[in-house]
Amino acid sequence: MTLSIVIPLYNEEENVPILYEKLKESLNPLKKEYEILFVDDGSTDRTLSILEEIQSKDNRVVVLSLRRNFGQTAAFAAGFDFARGDIVITMDGDLQNDPSDISKLLELTKDYDLVSGWRKKRKDPFFRRRLPSILANWLISNVTGVKLHDYGCSLKAYRRDVIKNLKIYGEMHRFIPAVASWYGVRVAEVEVAHRQRLKGRSKYGISRTIKVVLDLITVKFLQSFSTKPIQFFGPVGVMSGFLGFLISLYLSIDKIFFGRNIGGRPLLLLGVLLIIVGIQLIGMGLLGEMLVRVYHESQRKPTYVIKKILGP
Ligand code: UDP
Ligand code: MG
């Protein structure tokens, strides 16, 4: 199998039939073996039954139906786990991405391991979507050190090994280029078309920005300290503990040698607090070290539950 197209779908009944036709139109001329993995992310409309009908007539289509709505990232993860292609392409199922761009991305996978789409002329509302996205892209580029114009674009192409060695959580599919690039994966960006959503409704609003920022903090922390949490918590803990010790020492000398009463002094409180915080932080670092070992050595646990799999 050369090509796997992974498409998460959540209540896209009006888009699925058109999407399927357009996909065939752009994939057949490529003269490559391909499969289309539709991941139904717990839709409550007719999406699944339409997919089932398509699958019954076309063996190149695989339908993964998730038990409930797990979110776009988990739907991608499910698709990745079942994809058999050497190249895996992801895109949205609402026709905002154009299937005819697939050939453009494929061309670049000859030289790169990951090709990310850039919706240069993005057709989304400015204040609700485009402005937060400009800020997010700037922030992600600077924090991760991997400069892309459009982290949020779903239309991406991956070489098989890139995604097979990756676990994604939360809203994290957008950080794959950054994480992959830290592992030495060659990343390219290419301009792609973007359309307005004509049918169905967008599943996201402004609140997504906060989730993305929190995920960015997690990703950055994991990058810098995931294998050495004691290095992160330890130094602060040692400093706090040492400062607390100095304060307590000073107070002790005052009491023992000069006989002054220190019971009511605010400084005493601070000294004790700093010592306790120091011990706590070092303890947290050690706990982190233990967690890291569990995290890396435990079995792989999927972030979704499969209800059924249709396909050849
Ligand atoms: N999607 C999904 N699960 C969700 C939310 C969205 O599988 O919980 C799918 C959705 O059906 C679409 C894609 O992810 O194919 C992008 O969603 P949407 O168009 O709502 O996002 P936007 O384009 O507004 O960022
Ligand atoms: Mg959309």
Side-chain angles (χ1 to χ4, degrees), residues 92 94 96 197:
D92 281 347
D94 57 356
Q96 290 199 272
R197 187 189 250 279

Side-chain angles (χ1 to χ4, degrees), residues 20 24 34 36 53-62:
Y20 172 60
K24 281 197 297 188
Y34 69 83
I36 306 173
E53 202 183 309
I54 293 174
Q55 202 288 316
S56 66
K57 294 187 194 126
D58 189 345
N59 261 340
R60 291 166 304 187
V61 172
V62 179

Side-chain angles (χ1 to χ4, degrees), residues 223-271:
Q223 180 215 1
S224 313
F225 299 105
S226 69
T227 52
K228 42 186 184 339
I230 192 78
Q231 312 287 5
F232 180 78
F233 295 107
V236 193
V238 168
M239 256 158 30
S240 167
F242 185 65
L243 201 65
F245 169 76
L246 286 184
I247 291 172
S248 305
L249 187 71
Y250 159 74
L251 290 175
S252 304
I253 290 169
D254 229 20
K255 163 108 181 147
I256 296 164
F257 293 101
F258 303 98
R260 279 196 275 260
N261 187 6
I262 59 167
R265 292 178 67 176
L267 204 57
L268 181 68
L269 214 62
L270 183 66

Side-chain angles (χ1 to χ4, degrees), residues 8-10 12 41 69 71-72 92-94 96 129 197 202-204 208:
L9 297 159
Y10 180 50
E12 305 284 2
D41 187 14
N69 180 239
Q72 203 183 347
D92 281 347
D94 57 356
Q96 290 199 272
R129 303 303 299 276
R197 187 189 250 279
S202 168
K203 278 83 199 174
Y204 301 105
R208 186 196 220 179

Side-chain angles (χ1 to χ4, degrees), residues 23-249:
L23 276 168
K24 281 197 297 188
E25 254 168 56
S26 3
L27 289 172
N28 289 338
L30 295 176
K31 302 264 175 282
K32 285 192 161 76
E33 223 191 323
Y34 69 83
E35 63 176 355
I36 306 173
L37 280 142
F38 289 116
V39 186
D40 168 49
D41 187 14
S43 298
T44 50
D45 65 357
R46 293 183 48 248
T47 301
L48 182 58
S49 54
I50 296 170
L51 288 176
E52 277 173 352
E53 202 183 309
I54 293 174
Q55 202 288 316
S56 66
K57 294 187 194 126
D58 189 345
N59 261 340
R60 291 166 304 187
V61 172
V62 179
V63 178
L64 301 178
S65 158
L66 304 189
R67 276 251 169 243
R68 63 166 170 85
N69 180 239
F70 282 91
Q72 203 183 347
T73 299
F76 276 132
F80 289 165
D81 285 350
F82 285 85
R84 290 169 293 174
D86 298 324
I87 305 285
V88 178
I89 298 200
T90 56
M91 60 188 290
D92 281 347
D94 57 356
L95 294 165
Q96 290 199 272
N97 295 133
D98 188 346
S100 66
D101 279 324
I102 290 176
S103 61
K104 205 195 257 181
L105 270 77
L106 267 183
E107 201 48 40
L108 275 162
T109 54
K110 287 178 184 146
D111 300 313
Y112 295 92
D113 304 304
L114 194 169
V115 184
S116 183
W118 170 18
R119 299 163 292 180
K120 196 168 182 188
K121 299 192 185 79
R122 192 169 163 185
K123 304 280 175 17
D124 276 323
F126 182 76
F127 279 105
R128 208 162 59 85
R129 303 303 299 276
R130 265 157 54 210
L131 183 67
S133 158
I134 290 168
L135 298 175
N137 283 313
W138 177 84
L139 191 69
I140 299 171
S141 289
N142 281 292
V143 171
T144 64
V146 181
K147 306 242 184 288
L148 290 184
H149 293 93
D150 191 3
Y151 268 92
C153 182
S154 294
L155 184 55
K156 291 187 171 85
Y158 308 86
R159 285 214 193 149
R160 181 185 182 78
D161 52 309
V162 174
I163 44 145
K164 289 290 174 183
N165 296 315
L166 212 73
K167 295 223 64 84
I168 44 177
Y169 301 90
E171 281 286 313
M172 265 172 209
H173 62 266
R174 67 184 59 243
F175 297 112
I176 296 177
V179 175
S181 159
W182 295 334
Y183 289 123
V185 165
R186 293 162 302 169
V187 179
E189 197 175 36
V190 62
E191 274 176 45
V192 295
H194 195 241
R195 301 238 162 77
Q196 240 165 353
R197 187 189 250 279
L198 297 174
K199 307 245 167 63
R201 289 207 343 242
S202 168
K203 278 83 199 174
Y204 301 105
I206 196 97
S207 65
R208 186 196 220 179
T209 315
I210 301 161
K211 294 183 190 156
V212 168
V213 169
L214 289 174
D215 276 346
L216 176 65
I217 296 172
T218 315
V219 166
K220 181 66 189 171
F221 174 78
L222 288 178
Q223 180 215 1
S224 313
F225 299 105
S226 69
T227 52
K228 42 186 184 339
I230 192 78
Q231 312 287 5
F232 180 78
F233 295 107
V236 193
V238 168
M239 256 158 30
S240 167
F242 185 65
L243 201 65
F245 169 76
L246 286 184
I247 291 172
S248 305
L249 187 71

